Structure formats: C-alpha cells, structure tokens
Amino acid sequence: MRHNRRLFLAARLAAFACVAAFCLSPSVTRAQTNAEQTVQAAMTKGEDGMYRAYDGVFVKWLPRFGDASAVALTKLLADKPIADADIPAILIVVRDSYGSPISIEDAAERRPRTTLYLLRSLSHETRDPKNTALIEETAVYVKSQYAAYAKNHPDQ
Amino acid sequence: MNLYDNGFLPVGSSGDLWSANPEFCLEWGPGQCSGGTQVGWGSATYNWTIGATSIIKATSSSQLTSGSPSVIGVSGGLGSGYVNVEGGGCQSGGSDPGTVQVPTSLKLVKAPPTILQQGTGLRAGCPPGWYGIGIDVDYQVLDQNTKPIASANMEPQELLTGKTTYTDIGGPQPNYPQSAKFTRVDGTFDDVPVEKCPPVPVTTLTPFETQSIQILLNGIPYPVRINNWSYKTTNLPNQGTLTNGKDINATQ
C-alpha cells in the first residue's frame, strides 16, 4: 500500500515536473538552472551525513529562487523514493526559498504555486506526525510570506 | 611631503605621489628657498623616482610639468618616493616611505560572535523548533603587517565543501542588512548567517564544512583564512555550539 502511494507520488511529481519544465519561458531558464544547481547542492549530504540544506549558506542563496526551488525539487525528487528522514531537508529548502519574497529575482517565481503543490504532495506521503506538523507549519510560513509581499506590492 | 594619504596604499589602488604644493619665493638661494615671501603660484617641474618599482609603479613618466604624479600599488611591501621640484627659480624636494598593503589575514572583530536568535524575519537564526545555532561573524581584513586595510573595495569570497568556485560571502539580503558584497570603509565585513540547523539533535561535535575565505582586491584574489566548521546540539531546540576549532566559538 505504502509502496503504491510512493509510486503514485513519484508519478505525480514527474508529471508536474514535465508540465513545469514545459511552461518555462526562456527568461526563466537561467534562474531555473541556478535554482536546480543550488537545490541539488542543498539536497546533497555533507561529511556529517546530514543534508547540506541545514547549512546557513543556503539561507544566503535560496531566497533568490522562490517557486523555482520547488520546481527544481520536484524534478529532483520525481524519480527517487522519499523517506521520512528526507522531508525536513525538503522543507527547509522550501522555507529558505521564501525567506524574503522581494529578493526573488524572477517576479513570476514569487507566487508559491509549485511550492504549495509540493507541500500538499508531501503531506500525503508521510505518516510521521512530526513531519506532518512541519509541513503544515512550512505551508503557513510560505503563505504568510507571500501574503505580506503581495499586500505591499498589489500591482504584482 | 606625502607619498600618499596615510602612508598606506592597498595593492591595485593609486594615490598621489606628491600632494603638497611646491613653494615659490621671490628671493632664493642656490638649491633652496630662503627669505622673501613665499607664494603659491607659478609653474613647476617635478622630477621623481620610486624606490621600489616591484611594489609601486608610476602611472606616468618620471617628469611632469603640471599636476601631481600618481603611483599604483603592485604588490605588498615597503617602498619610497623621491621628489624634486623646481619652479620659479626655487628648488625643493623630499622623500617618504610608503607601504603597499595586501590582504593577508582576517581578525575576529567580536568574540564570541553574535548569536542569531531563532525565529523569522530580520536577523533570524534557525527556524523555530529546530536544533542548532546560527551566528554572525564580524571580520576585519589585515595586511602583511597585521594592520587593518581601510578600504571599501575588498570583496570577501568563500569556497565551501563540495564547490569548485568561490562565491561572494555577502550581498544584498533584506533579512541580513549587515551583509554586503564589499567591505566597509574600515575593512570590516559580516559573514552572516553561519549556521547549522538540523531537524534532530546531534550531541557530539561533528565537522560539517570547510570554508576557505579569500579577499578579491582589484581583480587579485588573496587567501586569508580557512575555517573548519564543527557543530553540536543539545537535546533541546534552539541550543547548540558552532566552532572553527580555533578563534570562533559560539554556544547557546
């Protein structure tokens, strides 16, 4: 049952990644490439065996990408099994990517469309109540960050 | 006579070799101004040389008929400028030593460093509920004689574990206004945030990152420091230790 759920998640993520990639305009491609490289680095384990996403340097890099990070995560995770232990790393990437929506270089990436989809998908994936709470908290954080930005920039 | 403003010239930067006006006089003796009234006008010819061309080079020929010749620092070290001025029938001259500074090391301005508090928004550290600690490390760039380099043109960069190219340590970050691409005028800069925020406790001191820092000045990179970062947490959120095993230790 759980195996089927994971296959289903992988299929959904793969399909979404294809749609997301197809929709990328040329102007977005460069930002997306940078986001993919950065997210790939964040989702690599360091010499301590922990995901590098927990290192402060990603707090510097990820806020430029916003929703592009979720697209990159979706593509990265599409063909891989996701364990409960992986979810906090995914969440901190998402969280850092919305640390400052005004800093997101491509304005089109400020609205958290793929991000919220990814979080919904993750919430279906885990049975760990701690992860469920973290996912919910991350979604609230992303929504509040975007809402605060949108309130101050109603024209965008 | 001033070789340049304060005797220090960062490598790659230029400064005036001669910043004083030549003195002219109505009455004069051979080789010197004496008696009479000195006036600050007239034309002059500067004849000058540089004592150590390997560290300071001139930006123009060795003889000028107007203006002040300038010099540019090439590499770190000591040098001297010699100037002889003739004009209006007077002659004066002098020399001054100068030091060309190059970034050589980093001094920790505040020890222990500032601990970023958990939370969100401005100057925040780890997310609420997570383990670990975040800090703001304030450095000052020192030269080969361990004197500060007062320059706002230095660009701190870092090479982290797993990366092959250096990237800027600072830059515009709304949540960290103290972070900047270049040093402040006193040669200080903030590396912020430096943090490790695991989702689970890690109670033994664990290495996680090697950070090589270089200072880019006028297109030339100068290695100044290597930090081998380690961390540990307690079993409580918002508690932990970050250390480079040397001069940086922060615990909350």
PDB file of all heavy atoms in Angstrom, chain A residues 36-51:
ATOM      1  N   GLU A  36      18.179  24.906  -9.835  1.00  0.00           N
ATOM      2  CA  GLU A  36      18.408  23.460  -9.857  1.00  0.00           C
ATOM      3  C   GLU A  36      19.779  23.109  -9.296  1.00  0.00           C
ATOM      4  O   GLU A  36      19.922  22.159  -8.531  1.00  0.00           O
ATOM      5  CB  GLU A  36      18.267  22.933 -11.289  1.00  0.00           C
ATOM      6  CG  GLU A  36      16.815  22.866 -11.735  1.00  0.00           C
ATOM      7  CD  GLU A  36      16.670  22.429 -13.183  1.00  0.00           C
ATOM      8  OE1 GLU A  36      17.669  21.971 -13.771  1.00  0.00           O
ATOM      9  OE2 GLU A  36      15.560  22.564 -13.710  1.00  0.00           O
ATOM     10  N   GLN A  37      20.785  23.901  -9.664  1.00  0.00           N
ATOM     11  CA  GLN A  37      22.133  23.631  -9.150  1.00  0.00           C
ATOM     12  C   GLN A  37      22.190  23.821  -7.640  1.00  0.00           C
ATOM     13  O   GLN A  37      22.800  23.036  -6.906  1.00  0.00           O
ATOM     14  CB  GLN A  37      23.140  24.553  -9.833  1.00  0.00           C
ATOM     15  CG  GLN A  37      23.352  24.218 -11.310  1.00  0.00           C
ATOM     16  CD  GLN A  37      24.150  25.269 -12.037  1.00  0.00           C
ATOM     17  OE1 GLN A  37      24.366  26.369 -11.523  1.00  0.00           O
ATOM     18  NE2 GLN A  37      24.583  24.955 -13.251  1.00  0.00           N
ATOM     19  N   THR A  38      21.543  24.892  -7.180  1.00  0.00           N
ATOM     20  CA  THR A  38      21.573  25.181  -5.746  1.00  0.00           C
ATOM     21  C   THR A  38      20.792  24.143  -4.955  1.00  0.00           C
ATOM     22  O   THR A  38      21.252  23.661  -3.901  1.00  0.00           O
ATOM     23  CB  THR A  38      21.007  26.590  -5.496  1.00  0.00           C
ATOM     24  OG1 THR A  38      21.743  27.531  -6.272  1.00  0.00           O
ATOM     25  CG2 THR A  38      21.118  26.968  -4.025  1.00  0.00           C
ATOM     26  N   VAL A  39      19.612  23.786  -5.464  1.00  0.00           N
ATOM     27  CA  VAL A  39      18.795  22.786  -4.765  1.00  0.00           C
ATOM     28  C   VAL A  39      19.503  21.429  -4.763  1.00  0.00           C
ATOM     29  O   VAL A  39      19.493  20.707  -3.762  1.00  0.00           O
ATOM     30  CB  VAL A  39      17.399  22.694  -5.417  1.00  0.00           C
ATOM     31  CG1 VAL A  39      16.651  21.459  -4.941  1.00  0.00           C
ATOM     32  CG2 VAL A  39      16.595  23.954  -5.113  1.00  0.00           C
ATOM     33  N   GLN A  40      20.127  21.118  -5.876  1.00  0.00           N
ATOM     34  CA  GLN A  40      20.886  19.862  -5.955  1.00  0.00           C
ATOM     35  C   GLN A  40      21.969  19.835  -4.873  1.00  0.00           C
ATOM     36  O   GLN A  40      22.158  18.832  -4.182  1.00  0.00           O
ATOM     37  CB  GLN A  40      21.536  19.753  -7.330  1.00  0.00           C
ATOM     38  CG  GLN A  40      22.447  18.559  -7.516  1.00  0.00           C
ATOM     39  CD  GLN A  40      21.734  17.365  -8.123  1.00  0.00           C
ATOM     40  OE1 GLN A  40      20.998  17.531  -9.084  1.00  0.00           O
ATOM     41  NE2 GLN A  40      21.940  16.203  -7.577  1.00  0.00           N
ATOM     42  N   ALA A  41      22.667  20.975  -4.715  1.00  0.00           N
ATOM     43  CA  ALA A  41      23.707  21.051  -3.687  1.00  0.00           C
ATOM     44  C   ALA A  41      23.106  20.935  -2.292  1.00  0.00           C
ATOM     45  O   ALA A  41      23.666  20.267  -1.409  1.00  0.00           O
ATOM     46  CB  ALA A  41      24.483  22.355  -3.820  1.00  0.00           C
ATOM     47  N   ALA A  42      21.973  21.571  -2.085  1.00  0.00           N
ATOM     48  CA  ALA A  42      21.325  21.526  -0.765  1.00  0.00           C
ATOM     49  C   ALA A  42      20.870  20.114  -0.416  1.00  0.00           C
ATOM     50  O   ALA A  42      20.886  19.723   0.750  1.00  0.00           O
ATOM     51  CB  ALA A  42      20.136  22.485  -0.743  1.00  0.00           C
ATOM     52  N   MET A  43      20.484  19.356  -1.438  1.00  0.00           N
ATOM     53  CA  MET A  43      19.976  18.015  -1.181  1.00  0.00           C
ATOM     54  C   MET A  43      21.084  16.956  -1.257  1.00  0.00           C
ATOM     55  O   MET A  43      20.813  15.775  -1.425  1.00  0.00           O
ATOM     56  CB  MET A  43      18.848  17.687  -2.180  1.00  0.00           C
ATOM     57  CG  MET A  43      17.614  18.578  -2.009  1.00  0.00           C
ATOM     58  SD  MET A  43      16.904  18.542  -0.343  1.00  0.00           S
ATOM     59  CE  MET A  43      16.339  16.847  -0.240  1.00  0.00           C
ATOM     60  N   THR A  44      22.314  17.424  -1.146  1.00  0.00           N
ATOM     61  CA  THR A  44      23.458  16.518  -1.069  1.00  0.00           C
ATOM     62  C   THR A  44      23.886  16.401   0.393  1.00  0.00           C
ATOM     63  O   THR A  44      23.832  17.393   1.124  1.00  0.00           O
ATOM     64  CB  THR A  44      24.632  17.079  -1.904  1.00  0.00           C
ATOM     65  OG1 THR A  44      24.188  17.263  -3.242  1.00  0.00           O
ATOM     66  CG2 THR A  44      25.816  16.143  -1.878  1.00  0.00           C
ATOM     67  N   LYS A  45      24.291  15.222   0.795  1.00  0.00           N
ATOM     68  CA  LYS A  45      24.701  15.062   2.193  1.00  0.00           C
ATOM     69  C   LYS A  45      26.165  15.455   2.368  1.00  0.00           C
ATOM     70  O   LYS A  45      27.003  15.161   1.525  1.00  0.00           O
ATOM     71  CB  LYS A  45      24.474  13.620   2.644  1.00  0.00           C
ATOM     72  CG  LYS A  45      22.982  13.297   2.801  1.00  0.00           C
ATOM     73  CD  LYS A  45      22.726  11.907   3.320  1.00  0.00           C
ATOM     74  CE  LYS A  45      21.222  11.695   3.511  1.00  0.00           C
ATOM     75  NZ  LYS A  45      20.877  10.328   3.920  1.00  0.00           N
ATOM     76  N   GLY A  46      26.441  16.148   3.478  1.00  0.00           N
ATOM     77  CA  GLY A  46      27.795  16.594   3.780  1.00  0.00           C
ATOM     78  C   GLY A  46      28.587  15.531   4.494  1.00  0.00           C
ATOM     79  O   GLY A  46      28.131  14.393   4.664  1.00  0.00           O
ATOM     80  N   GLU A  47      29.780  15.918   4.951  1.00  0.00           N
ATOM     81  CA  GLU A  47      30.655  14.942   5.588  1.00  0.00           C
ATOM     82  C   GLU A  47      30.113  14.467   6.937  1.00  0.00           C
ATOM     83  O   GLU A  47      30.574  13.463   7.478  1.00  0.00           O
ATOM     84  CB  GLU A  47      32.063  15.525   5.766  1.00  0.00           C
ATOM     85  CG  GLU A  47      32.116  16.868   6.418  1.00  0.00           C
ATOM     86  CD  GLU A  47      33.509  17.510   6.311  1.00  0.00           C
ATOM     87  OE1 GLU A  47      34.337  17.209   7.176  1.00  0.00           O
ATOM     88  OE2 GLU A  47      33.740  18.304   5.387  1.00  0.00           O
ATOM     89  N   ASP A  48      29.121  15.199   7.470  1.00  0.00           N
ATOM     90  CA  ASP A  48      28.491  14.768   8.719  1.00  0.00           C
ATOM     91  C   ASP A  48      27.295  13.849   8.467  1.00  0.00           C
ATOM     92  O   ASP A  48      26.624  13.422   9.412  1.00  0.00           O
ATOM     93  CB  ASP A  48      28.048  15.980   9.532  1.00  0.00           C
ATOM     94  CG  ASP A  48      27.067  16.853   8.775  1.00  0.00           C
ATOM     95  OD1 ASP A  48      26.985  16.711   7.529  1.00  0.00           O
ATOM     96  OD2 ASP A  48      26.375  17.671   9.407  1.00  0.00           O
ATOM     97  N   GLY A  49      27.025  13.545   7.195  1.00  0.00           N
ATOM     98  CA  GLY A  49      25.908  12.665   6.886  1.00  0.00           C
ATOM     99  C   GLY A  49      24.565  13.377   6.867  1.00  0.00           C
ATOM    100  O   GLY A  49      23.528  12.747   6.634  1.00  0.00           O
ATOM    101  N   MET A  50      24.582  14.682   7.142  1.00  0.00           N
ATOM    102  CA  MET A  50      23.326  15.451   7.131  1.00  0.00           C
ATOM    103  C   MET A  50      23.202  16.184   5.792  1.00  0.00           C
ATOM    104  O   MET A  50      24.203  16.506   5.164  1.00  0.00           O
ATOM    105  CB  MET A  50      23.334  16.491   8.255  1.00  0.00           C
ATOM    106  CG  MET A  50      23.559  15.921   9.637  1.00  0.00           C
ATOM    107  SD  MET A  50      22.103  15.110  10.285  1.00  0.00           S
ATOM    108  CE  MET A  50      21.241  16.520  10.932  1.00  0.00           C
ATOM    109  N   TYR A  51      21.973  16.435   5.403  1.00  0.00           N
ATOM    110  CA  TYR A  51      21.782  17.220   4.187  1.00  0.00           C
ATOM    111  C   TYR A  51      22.413  18.598   4.353  1.00  0.00           C
ATOM    112  O   TYR A  51      22.287  19.230   5.401  1.00  0.00           O
ATOM    113  CB  TYR A  51      20.293  17.380   3.875  1.00  0.00           C
ATOM    114  CG  TYR A  51      19.684  16.165   3.229  1.00  0.00           C
ATOM    115  CD1 TYR A  51      18.787  15.360   3.923  1.00  0.00           C
ATOM    116  CD2 TYR A  51      20.010  15.822   1.916  1.00  0.00           C
ATOM    117  CE1 TYR A  51      18.232  14.237   3.340  1.00  0.00           C
ATOM    118  CE2 TYR A  51      19.452  14.691   1.328  1.00  0.00           C
ATOM    119  CZ  TYR A  51      18.568  13.915   2.033  1.00  0.00           C
ATOM    120  OH  TYR A  51      18.022  12.802   1.451  1.00  0.00           O
TER     121      TYR A  51
END
